[in-house]
Amino acid sequence: MRILIAEDEKELARAEATILKLNGYDVDVAQDGAEAVDRVKSANYDVIVLDVMMPRVDGIEALRQIRGMGVTTPVIMLTAKAEVDDRVTGLDAGADDYLTKPFAMKELLARIRSQARRATSFTPTQLNFAGLTLDVSEQQISSENTMRLSARETKLLELLMLNPGKELSTQMIFEHVWADDPQATSELVYVYVSYLRSKLAAVSGSVAIAGERDGSYRLVQTDDASGTSGADGDGALSSGKDGRS
């Protein structure tokens, strides 16, 4: 699970990041709200922790910008203020939870676990992008045609469709899709991207996966039925075997 911490107090940010890493999380740290917004533009996070009082762009404004980008990642706000109005402002801007400083790290960890569980519970079972529909529960995609997917293909495409147009690294995809398989290797990412590229080409002329082997991938809307405009990189529409679980 990947966490973003936006905190301008360097010692506090370092302490939070250290404890989260010791508990098995991958952690990125932003020093202000502007950096937090930039990181969210380029990476996918499971939970975001935003301090309210930060230079350049404060936490509330950063949250507004993040929500304005269509990002639905759970956000926990941190503040030294305990007034009700401050909490209301944050919640109205799109925060999912609020924690007042000083706080125990055990409580922050519990809030992060809670928000991550809620995000998983409320993920829609049907996702849509550029005329393509993914039915997560039925493990199938449909557009001009319909095709079944394997469990792993479904999980991979779900991740891409929850982050349309955003570049997702091979490592990040691997950690999300194969987290339950200790025997798996990151080489499987390219293999399953190839499977999905073949199936997307079979059901839709307007959606493709862009990116290169061992690099980052993103879901894009193509300009024509060939799919070449969005699916750059090696083997963009290469055929693959039927999906595997």
Side-chain angles (χ1 to χ4, degrees):
M1 185 180 295
R2 192 172 185 181
I3 310 295
L4 173 64
I5 296 174
E7 171 63 69
D8 66 313
E9 296 181 38
K10 293 183 179 180
E11 291 302 320
L12 178 57
R14 186 177 297 113
E16 292 172 354
T18 298
I19 293 174
L20 287 171
K21 288 176 182 178
L22 288 173
N23 280 270
Y25 297 106
D26 292 324
V27 183
D28 290 336
V29 176
Q31 298 297 322
D32 55 54
E35 184 181 352
V37 172
D38 287 342
R39 284 185 174 272
V40 172
K41 288 178 180 177
S42 59
N44 181 64
Y45 295 98
D46 297 285
V47 177
I48 299 170
V49 181
L50 289 177
D51 186 28
V52 171
M53 301 300 292
M54 291 187 292
R56 291 210 296 167
V57 174
D58 64 30
I60 300 296
E61 178 56 29
L63 176 58
R64 290 194 180 103
Q65 292 183 29
I66 290 170
R67 292 299 187 229
M69 291 156 48
V71 175
T72 59
T73 302
V75 174
I76 301 172
M77 303 296 294
L78 303 180
T79 180
K81 301 178 181 180
E83 289 83 356
V84 172
D85 286 348
D86 294 311
R87 298 189 181 192
V88 170
T89 300
L91 293 171
D92 284 345
D96 297 278
D97 201 356
Y98 231 102
L99 196 55
T100 303
K101 295 179 180 180
F103 55 85
M105 278 303 302
K106 285 185 178 181
E107 184 174 7
L108 178 59
L109 286 166
R111 301 287 183 99
I112 288 173
R113 290 193 296 269
S114 175
Q115 290 303 322
R117 285 195 300 269
R118 289 184 61 191
T120 301
S121 300
F122 289 105
T123 298
T125 58
Q126 284 200 350
L127 299 171
N128 296 280
F129 175 71
L132 177 73
T133 298
L134 168 65
D135 190 318
V136 178
S137 59
E138 294 295 328
Q139 294 184 191
Q140 69 178 25
I141 50 174
S142 58
S143 181
E144 299 168 7
N145 302 295
T146 298
M147 184 170 290
R148 296 279 295 180
L149 303 179
S150 71
R152 209 65 77 173
E153 288 170 336
T154 300
K155 197 167 184 179
L156 172 54
L157 186 57
E158 178 185 17
L159 177 63
L160 290 167
M161 291 187 73
L162 285 170
N163 299 275
K166 182 180 292 187
E167 292 193 352
L168 306 180
S169 71
T170 291
Q171 186 61 31
M172 192 276 286
I173 293 172
F174 174 69
E175 291 171 357
H176 274 72
V177 179
W178 283 272
D180 61 342
D181 186 355
Q183 303 301 317
T185 67
S186 60
E187 293 177 357
L188 286 171
V189 174
Y190 177 73
V191 173
Y192 278 83
V193 165
S194 296
Y195 295 160
L196 278 179
R197 281 171 167 165
S198 178
K199 292 189 174 183
L200 288 174
V203 304
S204 171
S206 59
V207 178
I209 301 174
E212 300 181 0
R213 188 170 193 160
D214 298 325
S216 296
Y217 297 98
R218 69 186 189 279
L219 196 69
V220 297
Q221 181 172 5
T222 60
D223 295 329
D224 54 58
S226 68
T228 55
S229 63
D232 54 341
D234 55 337
L237 292 175
S238 62
S239 61
K241 299 177 183 178
D242 206 0
R244 303 173 184 175
S245 60

